[in-house]
Amino acid sequence: MGKNLVNKILEKHIVTGTPMKGEPVKIKIDRTLTQDSTGTMTYLQLEAIEIDKVKTEKSVAFVDHNMLQQGFENADDHKYIETVASKHGVYFSKPGNGICHQVFLERFSKPGQTLLGSDSHTPTAGGVGMFACGAGGLDVALAMAGEPYEIKYPEVIKVNLTGKLQDMVASKDIILEILRRETVKGGVGKVYEYGGEGVKSLSVPQRATITNMGAELGATTSIFPSDERTMEFFEKQGRLEDFSFLQADEDAVYDRVIDIDLSELEPLTAKPHSPDNIEEVKNIKDLKVDQIAIGSCTNSSYEDLMKVATILKGKKVSPGVSLVIAPGSRQVMEMIARNGALGDIISSGARILENSCGPCIGMGQSPGTDSVSLRTFNRNFYGRSGTLSAQVYLVSPETAAVSALTGQLTDPREHVVEFRKFDDDEFIIDDSMVIAPEGQGVEVIKGPNIKAFPIAKRPEDVIDSKVVIKVGDNITTDHIMPSNAKLLPYRSNIPYLAEYCFNTVDEDFPRRAKENGGGIIIAGSNYGQGSSREHAALAPLFLGIKAVIAKSFARIHKSNLINNGILPLEFKNEEDYEKIDLEDNIVLEGVKDGLKNGEIKVRISNKGVDFSVKCELSEEDAKVILDGGRLNSVKMRVG
Ligand code: MIC
Ligand code: SF4
């Protein structure tokens, strides 16, 4: 039986477990990445594990999220990450070197290897044939310490690409089409593997846009083969020694096949407030635009910005539009600066931001009240831009640049521009902003904003607690633990952050949780989609949350709850969700046995209603909760 790419990589990396769909397997992690907003927690946890030097082939710490430095907090966090990384054998990519996923793709990716990153868009590296997963910080700390990472052996969906994109239709439109078909929860437990004749027509950066946004499907990861075009990319990056071919067998077997004829695709947009709320751009008439933002780990490559510069060259941004552009890396910025494209962009009236996540995570450039913002990013969740009433539409760089000129959302095919071939341009190679580690002699410097993280406790056998919040479907980690310019500086200060938990949904939540000595969260399906931030588990843990009962969970958030000793329980009958109201009293009985048997009894004691919930955990995850969280569990195991 022929093997697909996933089979091929995983068979070389499985440490324990049977490679059968849905079964837990542990895989060896070759490389890791962290970024700063999840990185402080990750390295505090790495320090708690007490190892001298990371055991991975290469680990890299990036600083790209918390770049505003309005006070001392961000700069202190950067210094902590720089010193703790150096001490433990981790390379440090300085602030200004670029967005972790873009720089990793350019300078650290390696086909056929595994990558674990403390950021949900880590699958970007699947664009060159890596098996790359996002995870909570603790899982990444453990991977750095040499622990294998547990996943459910995934279902593998082949995305069969045929034909060729029309002019001005982008790879962003491919992933938006897949999101339309599969939805933001369609990818849970799955890997999307790309194949077919159409693959050859896509460059590495175009592929990486697609694998990046596979995160929005909720997928474990997404992957492309490593072929001649991948080889050219490595050659241009001066890294041929890291390259190898990786192809699926001709007769490879898949769980399902999705066919996409690239020639039929049209420019698409994801309307507010979800990446799967898709519409053809041509169908949205007369949408006046106030702001346009180009950049983020999805669309900030050299090729993307060259296309944008070509469209803007010799023209002016519409008077009513604020166009902001953040290149993905210093390499990209320097190349467009040296070849004159940056001059074309500046002369059009665009505002240039530094090479970082910036507006994508609400670090500046929040749109005005009720305004419309087009963004080439990957997420348009409610409130994420920093302005609750803003209407954010996700689009390709082509659609963004053309719309910047017209002042309204415009189908870019109305302004066809011929792009020259950018593949042959020489990349500027300069890794001087990546600092090699020095080792144990380094003094770790911790600023006063870096506080201890909360530690889970072992669960009681009977949990008697109040419902302190009830929410609906598709709640994102941006709802649970919002991130913006005001809150990101406190990512290493959970007591402070906890005061803002669920802030955009219910401002009273932290007070209610504290008054009740903690409590239980009730949620709909796909709870915790989006970011990998374990703060969405740590802040509830700090507030005393003991369990979340949901219709279903997003993969990374479920692991973060388990790691922090919070019970992730699922309704057996979704109708039971309707029976529960805010402030009901919930009694969970037989918790310890239930964790192992997969079912726990629930009693709404103030209503006299009984039902059972599922507790779908691997044997190890059940043990982790019983041990009072993964850190305790690992420490107990290694003595
Ligand atoms: C995001 O895009 O939401 C983030 C910010 O990059 C997060 C990580 C974080 O919350 O720090 C992610 O995607 O995991
Ligand atoms: Fe940064 Fe946005 Fe990418 Fe997250 S999605 S890593 S915030 S650019």
Side-chain angles (χ1 to χ4, degrees), residues 568-628:
L569 307 174
E570 279 163 81
F571 289 102
K572 266 172 83 180
N573 298 315
E574 292 200 351
E575 303 86 72
D576 291 334
Y577 169 88
E578 306 299 338
K579 297 178 184 157
I580 308 178
D581 292 300
L582 185 67
E583 305 215 329
D584 273 352
N585 207 74
I586 301 274
V587 183
L588 303 173
E589 283 166 6
V591 168
K592 291 186 182 165
D593 282 344
L595 281 169
K596 294 183 210 143
N597 307 336
E599 193 168 312
I600 291 180
K601 284 209 188 84
V602 178
R603 157 162 279 262
I604 312 177
S605 57
N606 53 313
K607 290 178 176 160
V609 172
D610 295 286
F611 57 89
S612 295
V613 287
K614 291 184 287 185
C615 181
E616 284 185 349
L617 298 171
S618 68
E619 213 175 294
E620 172 159 331
D621 285 346
K623 187 168 179 323
V624 162
I625 297 186
L626 287 168
D627 288 346

Side-chain angles (χ1 to χ4, degrees), residues 35 64-65 99-101 119-121 212 295-298 356-358 360-361 377-379 384:
Q35 42 88 338
D64 53 2
H65 282 64
I99 304 175
C100 55
H101 308 303
D119 190 281
S120 64
H121 290 103
N212 173 279
S296 90
C297 56
T298 317
S356 70
C357 301
C360 181
I361 190 59
F377 306 168
N378 47 38
R379 290 182 174 148
R384 184 173 162 98

Side-chain angles (χ1 to χ4, degrees), residues 30-234:
D30 300 316
R31 297 184 173 215
T32 63
L33 72 78
T34 57
Q35 42 88 338
D36 49 324
S37 64
T38 54
T40 44
M41 270 310 141
T42 311
Y43 292 106
L44 287 169
Q45 287 159 336
L46 183 72
E47 286 190 288
I49 302 169
E50 293 175 14
I51 55 152
D52 289 347
K53 189 171 185 296
V54 294
K55 303 211 165 61
T56 41
E57 181 181 298
K58 192 157 231 170
S59 285
V60 192
F62 294 88
V63 175
D64 53 2
H65 282 64
N66 297 328
M67 306 281 279
L68 283 184
Q69 300 177 222
Q70 285 158 312
F72 63 89
E73 292 88 354
N74 289 166
D76 281 3
D77 282 358
H78 301 172
K79 187 47 89 187
Y80 169 60
I81 292 174
E82 179 186 341
T83 52
V84 76
S86 184
K87 180 171 175 182
H88 291 90
V90 176
Y91 286 78
F92 178 66
S93 172
K94 286 174 70 176
N97 198 39
I99 304 175
C100 55
H101 308 303
Q102 176 66 25
V103 179
F104 195 91
L105 190 77
E106 291 167 353
R107 309 303 307 149
F108 299 102
S109 57
K110 196 164 174 179
Q113 285 205 334
T114 54
L115 165 68
L116 197 70
S118 67
D119 190 281
S120 64
H121 290 103
T122 303
T124 311
V128 296
M130 286 193 93
F131 190 91
C133 298
L138 177 54
D139 284 318
V140 178
L142 288 166
M144 287 192 269
E147 290 278 322
Y149 178 61
E150 185 174 295
I151 53 167
K152 271 191 187 162
Y153 199 90
E155 251 177 77
V156 185
I157 313 295
K158 177 171 181 183
V159 186
N160 187 39
L161 303 177
T162 53
K164 201 167 171 296
L165 290 171
Q166 301 170 41
D167 285 346
M168 306 302 274
V169 180
S171 68
K172 180 69 157 273
D173 301 311
I174 305 177
I175 186 64
L176 292 178
E177 173 63 24
I178 298 172
L179 273 153
R180 160 152 64 190
R181 296 193 199 178
E182 299 282 291
T183 81
V184 287
K185 55 185 173 196
V188 178
K190 304 185 177 87
V191 172
Y192 290 81
E193 179 174 316
Y194 291 80
E197 271 304 294
V199 165
K200 279 197 214 126
S201 68
L202 300 174
S203 65
V204 164
Q206 285 179 308
R207 297 175 189 185
T209 295
I210 295 171
T211 48
N212 173 279
M213 267 191 97
E216 276 52 70
L217 296 162
T220 305
T221 190
S222 303
I223 188 165
F224 272 83
S226 171
D227 58 9
E228 281 76 16
R229 289 203 78 164
T230 322
M231 186 167 85
E232 280 163 28
F233 177 80
F234 276 82

Side-chain angles (χ1 to χ4, degrees), residues 279-285 411:
E279 181 70 66
E280 273 78 10
V281 171
K282 68 171 190 218
N283 293 345
I284 303 177
K285 305 275 182 234
D411 185 328

